[in-house]
Amino acid sequence: MEQWVNISIIAVYMVAVIGVGFFFAKKDETTENYLLGGRNMPYIAVGLSMMMTLLSSISIVMIPGEIFNYGMTVFSLNILTCAMGIPYYLLFVRFYFKLGSFTPYEYLERRYDHTVRAVVAVSAFYSRIMYLGMVLYASSKIFQAAYGWPCWFTILLVGAIGMVYTVMGGMKAVIWTDVIQFFVLAGGTIFILLVLNSNLDGGLIGGMIYAFENGHGAPQYATREFYTITPYIRLCFWLLLWNSLFSSMGAVSSDQLNIQRILTTKDWKTGFKSQCISSGLGLVNTIVLFMVGFAIYAYYAQNPDPALSGDGDMAFFHFIATKTPTPIPGIFMAAMLAAIMSTLDSGMNSMSTVWLKEIHAKFINKKMTPAKEVSVSRWATFLVGAFAILLGLGLDLSGRWLSQSITEVGTIFNMLGAATAPAFLFAVLSKRANSLLIWAYTFFAAGEAIGKNIWYALSRTAVQNWEKNPEIGFGWGGKLDAVYMLVPVIAGILLCLPYLGKKLRTHLSVKITAMIGMLILGIGFTNFLWWAYSNACVTTEPLACSFAFGLPCSLIVAFVILWFCPVQPEKKWRGLTIATVGQEMISEN
């Protein structure tokens, strides 16, 4: 009976958010209204929506789950990530308002050309749909822990609900439901913190002290290996620091989920207020999730529950379902659903914008009426949601195959998007930024990511198999033969050579061959690292590559090359770089 009460509360919430979609369904006659809320949304509502979008169910599952399993180290620099959003806003976003953009990729066409705009937009499109799949997968863990629902059922249910109200209501529905969801989630979280405080010796502070005393604080900071750059430790300080500084650049410079919300405000100064609200609340949210993680670990360390089987990703929601009275679990699960929906609606709406403006209007139908554009946007929202559901199911399969936590499970799917933020960084900083460099770097970085994912999956599987039966040998967890490094390097160089001929480089087939060569060279570079590290480090047992390992070597090299490139025509950079921001742009005509 109690479970049905809780499920009924969740059902009522789902009906309510669909109702918001119906309310706004007939009020969007143009794409500017449907996709950007008429460019006059209140900055406070936009700031709350931005925070809810970036929060997502991934953070709510991942941070407490990671602390339960290993400690807070992997997220210890998240506060720095939140704070960096403000300077990055000042660096990038004013150019999007200056151009009157729907997407940040319109800026790339002015700075480079339409081909760079297309390749970066497609890379970002895939990466964010993959992220939506991650949100759905994380959501399935919530309801699996609370109610025992199978992952596939939750992925299908939550994905379908998100599609329905986002398709109907557009950006206004997205932002105003996010505002509602913020207050639902904040209220639910505060109540659960009070429950945890009353169930722990010493309250929340006592739980944090207990976690640190028992190795679930940030124990890696006290070890020498944490400061060693190697793929064979789970976490490395220098790579965590790099990612903390760099990841927020992507969110503010090129992430359509974030940028589209900012562009719903009337100007970049108003949008800056929204960014400050989002960053400030992000800091608060990170601290709250740390407290939840410490408290949940301390509670179950002191009160073991065999139903958990050591699965930290499920611990928080198992506590809610079993240790709080009806109807609190239902109310809090509705709050969790709020976070899930806020990310899904934002992702679906923003990716439909990318599809409409970067793909459909460019390559399929260049002469659409406003009504047709809205129709295409709705259909794109539906298809984005459907694909995200499929990816969520794939991530569930991957998690079970490689025995991964939520923190790790998205690794082998994240093969594109590595060059997205650098394309924007080069554009705002240098008059020398050019399309050839971006194309080459994009394919090389994609190759690096593919090689890293192969290394991660094969070595992790080999270690798991060796632990079950050491007699089978080290396999891919052992020393890598040099041939696996030399073959892709030589093949990549041979494929790139024809492009060096001035007469040949104008041919499309030569350009495509060279880009494939750069992709293979990227794989070869990762295999070189695999070969070098494995031959230096593997001795008495096989070793698995860490999910968090990734050196920014190619970015550094690309940045150095940039400064030796020729200055581009003035119309490509005047008024569009940070050094010339106060100047008038030169018309393209």
Side-chain angles (χ1 to χ4, degrees), residues 520-533:
I520 295 173
L521 276 175
I523 296 173
F525 176 73
T526 301
N527 284 3
F528 166 74
L529 294 177
W530 187 355
W531 169 78
Y533 274 111

Side-chain angles (χ1 to χ4, degrees), residues 140-193:
S140 71
K141 287 291 185 179
I142 294 174
F143 290 93
Q144 182 184 33
Y147 302 120
W149 294 357
C151 289
W152 65 265
F153 175 77
T154 302
I155 290 169
L156 290 173
L157 176 65
V158 175
I161 295 294
M163 276 194 295
V164 169
Y165 82 83
T166 307
V167 166
M168 291 186 300
M171 180 54 72
K172 289 181 181 178
V174 168
I175 288 178
W176 288 117
T177 52
D178 284 353
V179 171
I180 296 169
Q181 289 159 349
F182 168 79
F183 288 105
V184 173
L185 181 60
T189 302
I190 290 170
F191 183 85
I192 295 301
L193 284 175

Side-chain angles (χ1 to χ4, degrees), residues 11 23 50 55 82 95 102 128 198 211 215 221 231 244 252 321 434-435 478 552:
F23 179 78
M50 289 165 62
L55 170 60
C82 294
F95 300 111
F102 275 79
R128 269 313 177 187
S198 65
Y221 278 89
S244 296
V252 178
N434 61 87
S435 59

